[in-house]
Amino acid sequence: MSLPLQSISGLRKQLTSGDIQPGDILDALVESIESTNGTIGAYLSYDLEGAKQEANKADLSQPLGGIPIAIKDNINVKGQPCTCGSKFLDGAYNAPYDATVISKLRQAGAIPFGRANMDEFAMGSTTESSALGTTCNPSDTTRTPGGSSGGSAAAVASRCAIAALGSDTGGSIRQPASHCGVVGLKPSYGRVSRYGLVAFASSLDQIGPLTHNVEDAALMLNAMCGYDTSDSTSLEQDVPDFTRGLDQGVAGMKLGLPKEYFGEGIDPAVRKQIDQAIAGLESAGAEMVEISLPHTEYAVATYYIIAPAEASSNLSRFDGVRYGNRAEKPDDILDLYRRSREQGFGPEVKRRIILGTYVLSSGYYDAYYNRAQKVRTLIRQDFQNAYQNVDAILSPVTPSAAPLLGADKDNPLQQYLADIYTISANLAGICGISVPCGTITSETGSQLPVGLQILGPHMGEKKILQVARASEIQSGH
Ligand code: GLN
């Protein structure tokens, strides 16, 4: 076995001391991907030759110099395919430009080299809605890796990537991170430019890192964020060094436990791991405070109105003319649109488009979309009120560990309900992180990872990283 693929920080030390070369990392990655990707299916495609050439030129003085990164297949990397896990774009689109995050990662010396599988257009929670392949959970290959950034999480967890990018519209970074036992960070809305991310729901989407540990998440965020004139929703805010103060601990911090997140519906085995993580942070000096986020019960309904509404509009560009594979021998232009969309989109995407079009249609707009926007404001206010008294909020990421492949495939409602702990953060625009806190034993004896979610106020990334680092130390990860 060549070089063990570990964290960015670990490899960077070896690179800067001259013990290893970027090419050694690529060699190890090739070996790992060739032996593992066939089983796990984390990648849809990769360009290791191109990456090797870039590695030879890597500027090692940069903070991510020589580090190859896996990219969710909905983020544009110039010259590489960007399928969004959809038949519609498969073989029909190569990115003509780099997304802003990609340019920034390149400036920091990183090498984006592979395309990670995902739920089609990021709609889903298991990566099973991908039309282009199955991804399994590296901890138990009979189970899903979570989703929609399941390929990114599985790549990192199976050591087929050192770090990856995902996107989070309703939990799609944090939830697969939790299921695969890696760290996943959803930045605050506006922190990271969305330019070059194929939009799902523009008011909710954020790009974020999936990494082996909390320090790596901070290193990635350092490189990724900042104001971008190409994204009008990116914020003009100073970018702190997120690695500074990471080890300051939680002594004296007040951490909120929302009573609505600890009620019915959590698997007791998951609850036990979360309780232990909470006890760990308490023993590290944090004070736990019970809080209430009273509009939590409306979050799933609100999200599943707003997200499909925005999706139905964003996905109108996939018509076989502007983007996507075109149906053959159309009778006329309408027939071309209709059949291209019929053939290109999978069932979950169609369900969202139909739902979104319905809630936006005249006659229903006020009853659904407008009302959902009002409830969204109430959810945001719940968090603002909570952060008057606490520094961050702790909760589970999901009610249960990774489901078996196929288990919820025909039960979309069941899947939607499992998003309960993650989607409020997107509705409120705040930041959140999932950090591994333990495992539970499945019926077959496999060890299934469980993540602790730490939610911070808008632009509170420094604080949640600090809490996550403290939890990582306490739980021995
Ligand atoms: N599971 C949620 C959905 O299906 C979240 C997806 C996401 O964050 N991209 O919409």
Side-chain angles (χ1 to χ4, degrees):
M1 174 75 196
S2 49
L3 173 76
L5 287 174
Q6 30 161 327
S7 61
I8 300 177
S9 40
L11 289 169
R12 283 285 305 157
K13 278 196 199 101
Q14 289 176 268
L15 281 171
T16 44
S17 67
D19 291 346
I20 61 168
Q21 300 300 318
D24 300 332
I25 301 178
L26 257 311
D27 288 342
L29 204 55
V30 173
E31 200 176 306
S32 185
I33 291 176
E34 281 174 356
S35 66
T36 312
N37 197 52
T39 328
I40 303 298
Y43 290 99
L44 291 172
S45 60
Y46 40 80
D47 175 13
L48 291 163
E49 276 315 305
K52 271 191 188 159
Q53 283 168 19
E54 282 188 53
N56 293 334
K57 300 180 288 193
D59 180 354
L60 298 186
S61 67
Q62 293 301 319
L64 300 177
I67 301 293
I69 311 275
I71 311 292
K72 186 175 182 178
D73 205 25
N74 60 351
I75 300 169
N76 280 271
V77 176
K78 191 172 179 179
Q80 296 184 11
C82 181
T83 67
C84 300
S86 181
K87 246 187 350 200
F88 217 155
L89 289 172
D90 190 28
Y93 178 75
N94 266 13
Y97 67 101
D98 275 339
T100 298
V101 276
I102 300 296
S103 313
K104 283 181 175 283
L105 284 173
R106 285 195 203 278
Q107 275 160 25
I111 306 166
F113 76 96
R115 311 295 303 168
N117 198 13
M118 56 182 283
D119 279 298
E120 187 175 4
F121 287 102
M123 297 171 189
S125 325
T126 61
T127 314
E128 289 170 295
S129 79
S130 170
L132 304 178
T134 303
T135 304
C136 323
N137 191 311
S139 297
D140 178 343
T141 53
T142 65
R143 292 178 182 265
T144 83
S148 63
S149 313
S152 304
V156 176
S158 64
R159 308 253 158 198
C160 286
I162 292 144
L165 290 189
S167 67
D168 192 312
T169 304
S172 279
I173 291 174
R174 291 160 286 158
Q175 187 258 30
S178 171
H179 283 339
C180 291
V182 301
V183 173
L185 171 72
K186 181 203 99 70
S188 307
Y189 191 74
R191 179 66 101 177
V192 173
S193 168
R194 293 179 296 108
Y195 181 69
L197 166 71
V198 178
F200 164 7
S202 311
S203 77
L204 303 162
D205 300 338
Q206 273 290 290
I207 302 172
L210 292 105
T211 54
H212 284 297
N213 60 33
V214 175
E215 186 184 2
D216 283 4
L219 279 167
M220 289 282 286
L221 193 62
N222 274 353
M224 291 164 62
C225 55
Y227 176 62
D228 178 17
T229 48
S230 301
D231 173 3
S232 61
T233 62
S234 85
L235 293 173
E236 246 177 308
Q237 290 246 345
D238 288 345
V239 178
D241 177 354
F242 293 102
T243 60
R244 280 188 66 188
L246 207 54
D247 282 314
Q248 272 172 4
V250 288
M253 269 197 203
K254 279 185 170 177
L255 301 176
L257 305 176
K259 62 174 197 262
E260 294 80 4
Y261 284 48
F262 288 89
E264 286 167 24
I266 315 177
D267 176 343
V270 170
R271 172 77 198 251
K272 197 170 152 214
Q273 296 305 317
I274 302 297
D275 285 347
Q276 276 173 11
I278 291 169
L281 287 169
E282 216 165 6
S283 69
E287 182 192 340
M288 298 300 156
V289 185
E290 187 183 275
I291 59 164
S292 175
L293 298 168
H295 296 93
T296 301
E297 64 175 303
Y298 306 111
V300 172
T302 305
Y303 172 86
Y304 278 97
I305 291 171
I306 292 173
E310 294 185 20
S312 70
S313 160
N314 276 326
L315 268 60
S316 66
R317 74 194 64 176
F318 302 102
D319 56 9
V321 177
R322 280 172 296 176
Y323 293 99
N325 286 309
R326 185 174 297 183
E328 283 176 15
K329 299 196 181 83
D331 296 337
D332 53 30
I333 185 76
L334 258 186
D335 185 49
L336 183 148
Y337 291 152
R338 201 178 291 131
R339 282 202 293 117
S340 299
R341 286 168 72 81
E342 159 64 35
Q343 291 163 13
F345 291 134
E348 184 58 31
V349 176
K350 285 178 185 157
R351 188 177 294 121
R352 305 282 178 116
I353 293 174
I354 292 168
L355 203 61
T357 309
Y358 179 81
V359 298
L360 288 176
S361 57
S362 71
Y364 295 103
Y365 186 92
D366 283 341
Y368 293 108
Y369 184 72
N370 239 347
R371 214 152 179 208
Q373 291 293 11
K374 289 180 187 159
V375 181
R376 180 177 187 173
T377 303
L378 296 174
I379 291 171
R380 187 180 294 131
Q381 283 167 358
D382 280 356
F383 282 100
Q384 281 163 353
N385 293 338
Y387 290 121
Q388 302 284 317
N389 302 315
V390 297
D391 295 289
I393 292 171
L394 306 179
S395 85
V397 181
T398 55
S400 26
L404 289 166
L405 285 160
D408 293 333
K409 219 170 172 219
D410 300 319
N411 194 343
L413 188 60
Q414 191 58 36
Q415 277 199 32
Y416 299 171
L417 290 170
D419 291 337
I420 177 70
Y421 305 133
T422 50
I423 53 188
S424 295
N426 302 75
L427 290 166
I430 60 174
C431 57
I433 190 168
S434 171
V435 61
C437 70
T439 57
I440 64 177
T441 309
S442 75
E443 302 85 53
T444 58
S446 57
Q447 295 299 310
L448 307 177
V450 174
L452 170 74
Q453 177 170 243
I454 303 151
L455 296 173
H458 190 244
M459 297 290 162
E461 281 83 353
K462 249 193 129 144
K463 202 152 264 177
I464 59 171
L465 283 161
Q466 202 177 319
V467 179
R469 178 76 188 117
S471 181
E472 188 174 56
I473 292 168
Q474 285 295 320
S475 64
H477 275 82

mmCIF file of all heavy atoms in Angstrom, residues 72 122-125 147-148 167-173 200 303-304 307 352 416 419 423, ligand 1:
data_model
loop_
_atom_site.group_PDB
_atom_site.id
_atom_site.type_symbol
_atom_site.label_atom_id
_atom_site.label_comp_id
_atom_site.label_asym_id
_atom_site.label_seq_id
_atom_site.Cartn_x
_atom_site.Cartn_y
_atom_site.Cartn_z
ATOM 1 N N LYS A 72 -19.025 17.500 -6.259
ATOM 2 C CA LYS A 72 -20.389 17.039 -6.545
ATOM 3 C C LYS A 72 -20.726 17.382 -7.987
ATOM 4 O O LYS A 72 -20.355 18.465 -8.474
ATOM 5 C CB LYS A 72 -21.369 17.714 -5.576
ATOM 6 C CG LYS A 72 -22.795 17.201 -5.671
ATOM 7 C CD LYS A 72 -23.674 17.840 -4.592
ATOM 8 C CE LYS A 72 -25.095 17.319 -4.613
ATOM 9 N NZ LYS A 72 -25.934 17.895 -3.530
ATOM 10 N N ALA A 122 -29.995 17.088 -7.216
ATOM 11 C CA ALA A 122 -29.888 17.255 -5.749
ATOM 12 C C ALA A 122 -31.215 17.065 -5.028
ATOM 13 O O ALA A 122 -31.391 17.518 -3.901
ATOM 14 C CB ALA A 122 -29.253 18.604 -5.392
ATOM 15 N N MET A 123 -32.155 16.386 -5.680
ATOM 16 C CA MET A 123 -33.462 16.165 -5.065
ATOM 17 C C MET A 123 -33.517 14.753 -4.508
ATOM 18 O O MET A 123 -33.663 13.783 -5.257
ATOM 19 C CB MET A 123 -34.565 16.373 -6.095
ATOM 20 C CG MET A 123 -34.572 17.804 -6.602
ATOM 21 S SD MET A 123 -35.680 18.003 -7.984
ATOM 22 C CE MET A 123 -35.231 19.672 -8.493
ATOM 23 N N GLY A 124 -33.385 14.657 -3.193
ATOM 24 C CA GLY A 124 -33.417 13.348 -2.561
ATOM 25 C C GLY A 124 -32.518 13.306 -1.351
ATOM 26 O O GLY A 124 -31.819 14.283 -1.042
ATOM 27 N N SER A 125 -32.526 12.175 -0.676
ATOM 28 C CA SER A 125 -31.761 12.033 0.564
ATOM 29 C C SER A 125 -31.014 10.714 0.620
ATOM 30 O O SER A 125 -30.561 10.306 1.689
ATOM 31 C CB SER A 125 -32.698 12.073 1.775
ATOM 32 O OG SER A 125 -33.763 12.944 1.567
ATOM 33 N N GLY A 147 -27.947 11.473 1.149
ATOM 34 C CA GLY A 147 -27.931 12.297 -0.062
ATOM 35 C C GLY A 147 -28.405 13.702 0.247
ATOM 36 O O GLY A 147 -28.712 14.017 1.388
ATOM 37 N N SER A 148 -28.380 14.588 -0.699
ATOM 38 C CA SER A 148 -28.090 14.257 -2.061
ATOM 39 C C SER A 148 -26.597 14.205 -2.402
ATOM 40 O O SER A 148 -26.237 13.657 -3.457
ATOM 41 C CB SER A 148 -28.758 15.276 -2.986
ATOM 42 O OG SER A 148 -28.243 16.561 -2.780
ATOM 43 N N SER A 167 -23.404 20.208 -2.060
ATOM 44 C CA SER A 167 -24.318 21.354 -1.959
ATOM 45 C C SER A 167 -25.437 20.961 -1.017
ATOM 46 O O SER A 167 -25.787 19.790 -0.909
ATOM 47 C CB SER A 167 -24.870 21.742 -3.330
ATOM 48 O OG SER A 167 -25.708 20.717 -3.826
ATOM 49 N N ASP A 168 -25.951 21.966 -0.301
ATOM 50 C CA ASP A 168 -26.931 21.726 0.756
ATOM 51 C C ASP A 168 -28.092 22.691 0.565
ATOM 52 O O ASP A 168 -27.930 23.900 0.716
ATOM 53 C CB ASP A 168 -26.237 21.942 2.110
ATOM 54 C CG ASP A 168 -27.032 21.450 3.305
ATOM 55 O OD1 ASP A 168 -28.231 21.768 3.369
ATOM 56 O OD2 ASP A 168 -26.459 20.779 4.183
ATOM 57 N N THR A 169 -29.241 22.144 0.193
ATOM 58 C CA THR A 169 -30.457 22.939 -0.012
ATOM 59 C C THR A 169 -31.426 22.689 1.144
ATOM 60 O O THR A 169 -32.203 23.560 1.530
ATOM 61 C CB THR A 169 -31.103 22.537 -1.361
ATOM 62 O OG1 THR A 169 -30.124 22.706 -2.386
ATOM 63 C CG2 THR A 169 -32.337 23.353 -1.675
ATOM 64 N N GLY A 170 -31.345 21.455 1.670
ATOM 65 C CA GLY A 170 -32.207 21.092 2.799
ATOM 66 C C GLY A 170 -31.529 20.075 3.708
ATOM 67 O O GLY A 170 -32.194 19.374 4.458
ATOM 68 N N GLY A 171 -30.210 19.958 3.572
ATOM 69 C CA GLY A 171 -29.486 19.005 4.419
ATOM 70 C C GLY A 171 -28.511 18.137 3.664
ATOM 71 O O GLY A 171 -27.862 17.257 4.232
ATOM 72 N N SER A 172 -28.369 18.381 2.370
ATOM 73 C CA SER A 172 -27.637 17.463 1.495
ATOM 74 C C SER A 172 -26.134 17.378 1.700
ATOM 75 O O SER A 172 -25.482 16.542 1.081
ATOM 76 C CB SER A 172 -27.908 17.805 0.035
ATOM 77 O OG SER A 172 -29.131 17.245 -0.342
ATOM 78 N N ILE A 173 -25.570 18.227 2.552
ATOM 79 C CA ILE A 173 -24.169 18.026 2.949
ATOM 80 C C ILE A 173 -24.147 17.344 4.314
ATOM 81 O O ILE A 173 -23.461 16.342 4.531
ATOM 82 C CB ILE A 173 -23.405 19.374 3.029
ATOM 83 C CG1 ILE A 173 -23.216 19.965 1.632
ATOM 84 C CG2 ILE A 173 -22.074 19.190 3.748
ATOM 85 C CD1 ILE A 173 -22.598 21.358 1.601
ATOM 86 N N PHE A 200 -30.872 24.500 -7.688
ATOM 87 C CA PHE A 200 -32.047 23.703 -7.345
ATOM 88 C C PHE A 200 -33.069 24.690 -6.778
ATOM 89 O O PHE A 200 -34.046 25.039 -7.443
ATOM 90 C CB PHE A 200 -31.608 22.608 -6.364
ATOM 91 C CG PHE A 200 -32.687 21.889 -5.588
ATOM 92 C CD1 PHE A 200 -34.047 22.077 -5.828
ATOM 93 C CD2 PHE A 200 -32.332 20.980 -4.596
ATOM 94 C CE1 PHE A 200 -35.013 21.390 -5.091
ATOM 95 C CE2 PHE A 200 -33.292 20.296 -3.856
ATOM 96 C CZ PHE A 200 -34.636 20.518 -4.097
ATOM 97 N N TYR A 303 -40.702 23.856 3.557
ATOM 98 C CA TYR A 303 -39.607 23.555 2.631
ATOM 99 C C TYR A 303 -40.141 22.892 1.367
ATOM 100 O O TYR A 303 -39.717 23.239 0.252
ATOM 101 C CB TYR A 303 -38.586 22.644 3.328
ATOM 102 C CG TYR A 303 -37.513 22.115 2.393
ATOM 103 C CD1 TYR A 303 -36.362 22.854 2.133
ATOM 104 C CD2 TYR A 303 -37.658 20.881 1.753
ATOM 105 C CE1 TYR A 303 -35.387 22.375 1.267
ATOM 106 C CE2 TYR A 303 -36.691 20.405 0.887
ATOM 107 C CZ TYR A 303 -35.559 21.145 0.650
ATOM 108 O OH TYR A 303 -34.600 20.676 -0.209
ATOM 109 N N TYR A 304 -41.066 21.930 1.538
ATOM 110 C CA TYR A 304 -41.543 21.197 0.355
ATOM 111 C C TYR A 304 -42.589 21.978 -0.444
ATOM 112 O O TYR A 304 -43.198 21.443 -1.355
ATOM 113 C CB TYR A 304 -41.992 19.775 0.741
ATOM 114 C CG TYR A 304 -40.772 18.877 0.828
ATOM 115 C CD1 TYR A 304 -40.162 18.615 2.054
ATOM 116 C CD2 TYR A 304 -40.169 18.372 -0.321
ATOM 117 C CE1 TYR A 304 -39.000 17.841 2.122
ATOM 118 C CE2 TYR A 304 -39.020 17.603 -0.260
ATOM 119 C CZ TYR A 304 -38.438 17.335 0.953
ATOM 120 O OH TYR A 304 -37.279 16.586 1.010
ATOM 121 N N ALA A 307 -38.999 24.893 -1.891
ATOM 122 C CA ALA A 307 -37.944 24.274 -2.713
ATOM 123 C C ALA A 307 -38.487 23.813 -4.071
ATOM 124 O O ALA A 307 -37.901 24.151 -5.114
ATOM 125 C CB ALA A 307 -37.255 23.133 -1.958
ATOM 126 N N ARG A 352 -41.258 16.985 -8.213
ATOM 127 C CA ARG A 352 -40.969 18.331 -7.668
ATOM 128 C C ARG A 352 -41.460 19.413 -8.625
ATOM 129 O O ARG A 352 -41.974 20.439 -8.200
ATOM 130 C CB ARG A 352 -39.466 18.509 -7.444
ATOM 131 C CG ARG A 352 -38.809 17.466 -6.576
ATOM 132 C CD ARG A 352 -39.047 17.679 -5.115
ATOM 133 N NE ARG A 352 -38.425 16.600 -4.372
ATOM 134 C CZ ARG A 352 -37.420 16.761 -3.507
ATOM 135 N NH1 ARG A 352 -36.953 17.949 -3.257
ATOM 136 N NH2 ARG A 352 -36.916 15.724 -2.869
ATOM 137 N N TYR A 416 -39.126 12.690 2.903
ATOM 138 C CA TYR A 416 -39.250 14.125 3.182
ATOM 139 C C TYR A 416 -39.284 14.370 4.698
ATOM 140 O O TYR A 416 -38.661 15.299 5.209
ATOM 141 C CB TYR A 416 -40.529 14.709 2.554
ATOM 142 C CG TYR A 416 -40.645 14.615 1.036
ATOM 143 C CD1 TYR A 416 -41.838 14.946 0.393
ATOM 144 C CD2 TYR A 416 -39.575 14.217 0.242
ATOM 145 C CE1 TYR A 416 -41.966 14.874 -0.992
ATOM 146 C CE2 TYR A 416 -39.691 14.123 -1.141
ATOM 147 C CZ TYR A 416 -40.889 14.445 -1.757
ATOM 148 O OH TYR A 416 -41.017 14.372 -3.119
ATOM 149 N N ASP A 419 -36.143 14.765 6.783
ATOM 150 C CA ASP A 419 -35.341 15.986 6.641
ATOM 151 C C ASP A 419 -35.612 16.981 7.775
ATOM 152 O O ASP A 419 -35.078 18.093 7.768
ATOM 153 C CB ASP A 419 -35.668 16.696 5.315
ATOM 154 C CG ASP A 419 -35.183 15.920 4.102
ATOM 155 O OD1 ASP A 419 -34.263 15.102 4.245
ATOM 156 O OD2 ASP A 419 -35.738 16.146 3.008
ATOM 157 N N ILE A 423 -33.650 20.946 7.473
ATOM 158 C CA ILE A 423 -34.146 21.943 6.513
ATOM 159 C C ILE A 423 -34.389 23.322 7.110
ATOM 160 O O ILE A 423 -34.302 24.315 6.392
ATOM 161 C CB ILE A 423 -35.435 21.467 5.797
ATOM 162 C CG1 ILE A 423 -36.465 21.046 6.798
ATOM 163 C CG2 ILE A 423 -35.174 20.381 4.817
ATOM 164 C CD1 ILE A 423 -37.672 20.400 6.171
HETATM 165 N N1 GLN B 1 -33.541 15.912 0.972
HETATM 166 C C1 GLN B 1 -33.869 17.246 0.619
HETATM 167 C C2 GLN B 1 -34.598 17.261 -0.709
HETATM 168 O O1 GLN B 1 -34.797 16.235 -1.246
HETATM 169 C C3 GLN B 1 -32.643 18.106 0.582
HETATM 170 C C4 GLN B 1 -31.889 18.068 -0.689
HETATM 171 C C5 GLN B 1 -30.706 18.988 -0.731
HETATM 172 O O2 GLN B 1 -30.276 19.555 0.279
HETATM 173 N N2 GLN B 1 -30.196 19.188 -1.925
HETATM 174 O O3 GLN B 1 -34.980 18.256 -1.192
#
